[in-house]
């Protein structure tokens, strides 16, 4: 890796002069500039991205703010974002915002101070007003952040419908939805609405249990055990796959057979679930397509901050049939 | 967020002058500098980390190169790295190197060009010579990278021993190890050595099957099915938990009961496995301690590039007992 000193030596100037040429500071003769540029080329010197940024050019850095890569869904999404951006010569600064709004705010300020070229954001924290003030390109995954930030998501309403149809087709009549705490603007609302839309055409029992997304698996399991122990339900739709895994475990503990006594549909359909839990019927979000779309829109905004984008971009989901409904 | 223009207006100077003050370029009067610094303070301006970097100060950016956050082990590790570094005012640039040595090399060059303050690296690619040339602080997770890069790991030998003891205690006599392709300097060698060290004291059957870490779960499953179908083994040690999940599935398909017919011990013990597969007996790596140690060493090297560090830092592992061996 060539350093400023290497270039200075080859060009026969001082390191300070090289630095000034790179940063375009101070008065320099054309002859000096030509010598320095020739030496940079000869030594295959990569113009430093930070220096370019100070000249108003791009840093090739993208901030990525999501709940946390410990969750296989967001792990797969971040891997996809990083891979696709790498091929376009961008790097990512990763923030796991968890359910910590204060941390998310701090990151936003830091990312702006770091002059990232843009941000992909999809945390679960609400009302982060910094998104409205942020004067740089931002694309959201599946969450409303501010009026002018486009939202890319998969079709939550269609997903809810597919889940309901799978449970109906499997003969379930006493239905239960297990979902995160429902909040305004949450995309899971649409999963519920799509589900209910199908169910209301039939004369069936439907109950809803809300469990906070941030509750620990042990606490979630307790509530699920309570539900299952009543043995009054024969079909469950969980609005995420990990909760479905807890349902499978509790059902086994209670000697409830899936799919004989109980049918189960999850949501997300990550590679992890398809590889390690193929028995689970689930609704697959097209993570790769979602990421391609987010990056495409983000790069458009980076190239032209004034470009007009839609408010919502919605991609289709798929039912992946496992033995939990057959 | 205050801009250069805001500061310029308040200080009564041009934006170029503000930029020169921040970057310490050109000749400026003390009076001008004082005015600009006062305006920066008044507007709570965060000195841009890129600008500071050009002055030879830190960027507060750390590069993190690991196989991929789609794997729950590395997902949890990256979440831990990011959380701990956030509390120390650092951000991370994430690289999922997968089994792509070319990508890893490109990242190393880019991270250096981006002037990150240091790197945490633990990919599975071998012989990346750029690590030897890289002139910045680097700490490795569980892999030999170069002579002067310290390795933080958990005690693989002890882990292998604990796994063997658990299988012996459960009465297994026909033992099988399933591990990744064994390569020079791979830490899984020590897991095998520790395992064999315990077994050799008994007169027991021991076979070893190597399956490439990068093989897909479907391909791994085929090989596992072949192994189990022979029904000649009653105890398996997998050197990672995800492979254990595949063993559990194939055993179920073949009506082999765990733990009655077959005992099973995995390795890693992530939060994910403990939460969603508590039935699996496994060796838990202390991810949080590993990360604390890596960050501590990295910050020492950043503060003092000449500081002497050990070659290896090895943290103890724990057996987490599930029903797969009881």
């Amino acid at each position: 890796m060539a350093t400023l000193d290497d270039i200075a030596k080859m060009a026969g100037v001082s390191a300070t002069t090289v630095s000034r040429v790179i940063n375009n500071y101070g008065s320099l003769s054309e002859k000096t500039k030509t010598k320095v540029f020739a030496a940079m080329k000869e030594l295959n010197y990569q113009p430093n991205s930070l220096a370019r940024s100070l000249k108003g050019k791009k840093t090739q850095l993208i901030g990525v703010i999501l709940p946390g890569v410990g969750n296989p869904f967001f792990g797969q999404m971040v891997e996809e974002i990083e891979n696709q951006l790498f091929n376009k010569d961008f790097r990512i600064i990763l923030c796991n915002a968890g359910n910590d709004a204060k941390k998310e705010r701090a990151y936003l300020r830091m990312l702006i101070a770091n002059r990232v070229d843009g941000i992909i954001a999809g945390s679960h924290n609400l009302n982060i007003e910094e998104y409205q003030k942020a004067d740089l390109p931002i694309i959201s995954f599946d969450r409303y952040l501010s009026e002018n930030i486009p939202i890319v998501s998969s079709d939550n309403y269609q997903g809810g419908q597919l889940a309901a149809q799978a449970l109906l087709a499997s003969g379930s009549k006493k239905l239960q939805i297990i979902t995160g705490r429902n909040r305004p603007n949450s995309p899971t609302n649409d999963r519920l609405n799509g589900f209910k839309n199908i169910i209301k055409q039939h004369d069936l029992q439907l109950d809803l249990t809300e469990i906070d997304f941030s509750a620990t698996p042990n606490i979630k399991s307790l509530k699920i055990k309570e539900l299952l122990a009543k043995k009054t339900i024969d079909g469950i739709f969980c609005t995420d796959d990990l909760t479905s895994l807890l349902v499978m475990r509790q059902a086994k503990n209670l000697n409830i057979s899936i799919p004989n006594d109980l049918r189960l549909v999850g949501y997300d359909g990550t590679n992890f679930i398809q590889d390690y839990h193929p028995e689970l019927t689930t609704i697959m979000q097209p993570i790769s397509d979602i990421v391609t779309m987010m990056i495409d829109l983000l790069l458009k905004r980076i190239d032209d901050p004034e470009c007009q984008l839609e408010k919502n971009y919605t991609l289709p989901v798929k039912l992946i049939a496992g033995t939990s409904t057959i």
Side-chain angles (χ1 to χ4, degrees), chain A:
Chain A
M1 193 98 227
T3 65
L4 285 192
D5 284 323
D6 299 335
I7 295 161
K9 204 181 269 180
M10 176 167 274
V13 299
S14 71
T16 310
T17 301
V18 174
S19 169
R20 285 184 178 173
V21 170
I22 292 170
N23 295 296
N24 204 21
Y25 268 102
S27 58
L28 296 154
S29 72
E30 278 310 307
K31 199 179 150 191
T32 302
K33 284 187 194 174
T34 305
K35 278 194 295 182
V36 170
F37 285 133
M40 282 168 65
K41 200 174 169 188
E42 179 72 25
L43 293 168
N44 195 22
Y45 182 77
Q46 305 222 19
N48 182 294
S49 65
L50 310 189
R52 278 185 287 144
S53 164
L54 281 175
K55 291 172 60 188
K57 288 189 184 164
K58 294 191 293 179
T59 54
Q60 303 297 119
L61 290 170
I62 301 293
V64 175
I65 302 175
L66 288 169
V69 291
N71 178 313
F73 180 81
F74 294 108
Q76 186 179 335
M77 178 169 274
V78 166
E79 211 170 300
E80 190 73 39
I81 291 172
E82 189 269 328
N83 277 327
Q84 290 195 23
L85 280 174
F86 172 75
N87 292 327
K88 295 177 188 295
D89 199 25
F90 285 88
R91 271 82 63 204
I92 64 168
I93 294 182
L94 177 68
C95 164
N96 301 295
N99 50 355
D100 185 345
K102 204 172 146 198
K103 183 179 179 190
E104 186 163 353
R105 286 200 179 92
Y107 254 99
L108 264 171
R109 286 194 297 271
M110 290 192 300
L111 291 174
I112 293 165
N114 271 301
R115 297 195 188 176
V116 296
D117 293 333
I119 293 174
I120 290 172
S123 88
H124 292 179
N125 299 311
L126 294 176
N127 304 321
I128 310 278
E129 58 185 14
E130 276 81 353
Y131 282 112
Q132 279 149 49
K133 293 185 205 157
D135 187 23
L136 84 173
I138 302 177
I139 304 294
S140 161
F141 168 63
D142 214 15
R143 285 293 182 290
Y144 176 84
L145 297 178
S146 132
E147 198 50 27
N148 62 343
I149 297 179
I151 302 170
V152 178
S153 55
S154 56
D155 193 336
N156 291 299
Y157 192 88
Q158 181 205 9
Q161 288 185 310
L162 288 175
Q165 283 159 351
L167 287 175
L168 289 179
S170 74
S172 303
K173 298 193 186 308
K174 294 170 283 179
L175 302 169
Q176 176 77 42
I177 299 176
I178 302 178
T179 186
R181 191 80 64 197
N182 255 328
R183 304 187 295 186
N185 294 322
S186 166
T188 54
N189 291 341
D190 266 346
R191 293 180 197 167
L192 297 190
N193 293 336
F195 193 91
K196 288 176 185 167
N197 167 268
I198 296 294
I199 298 303
K200 78 174 177 202
Q201 296 158 22
H202 301 75
D203 189 26
L204 297 173
Q205 171 193 324
L206 175 60
D207 279 319
L208 187 144
T209 300
E210 290 184 353
I211 309 180
D212 209 324
F213 179 79
S214 61
T216 68
N218 278 334
I219 289 171
K220 285 182 182 170
S221 290
L222 273 184
K223 298 202 177 181
I224 289 165
K225 192 180 170 184
E226 245 177 75
L227 260 181
L228 295 183
K230 295 182 202 159
K231 306 210 178 183
T232 53
I233 47 180
D234 61 10
I236 297 184
F237 171 40
C238 294
T239 57
D240 75 284
D241 285 336
L242 296 188
T243 303
S244 303
L245 298 188
L246 300 178
V247 170
M248 288 198 280
R249 168 164 304 279
Q250 292 304 324
K252 198 179 168 195
N253 290 343
L254 292 164
N255 277 319
I256 295 171
S257 160
I258 295 176
N260 294 335
D261 309 327
L262 177 69
R263 270 71 60 192
L264 179 63
V265 179
Y267 207 102
D268 285 340
T270 54
N271 290 343
F272 183 86
I273 287 294
Q274 290 190 55
D275 285 340
Y276 295 96
H277 292 284
E279 74 277 16
L280 179 64
T281 297
T282 184
I283 309 300
M284 185 181 75
Q285 298 202 58
I287 296 182
S288 174
D289 289 345
I290 289 169
V291 169
T292 302
M293 178 65 82
M294 290 196 293
I295 289 176
D296 184 50
L297 296 172
L298 188 64
L299 297 186
K300 271 189 189 145
R301 271 270 158 98
I302 290 171
D303 278 347
D304 172 14
E306 305 303 319
C307 77
Q308 280 300 310
L309 300 176
E310 305 289 329
K311 287 191 179 183
N312 288 285
Y313 294 82
T314 307
L315 293 158
V317 295
K318 265 188 203 154
L319 179 90
I320 308 280
T323 52
S324 70
T325 49
I326 292 165

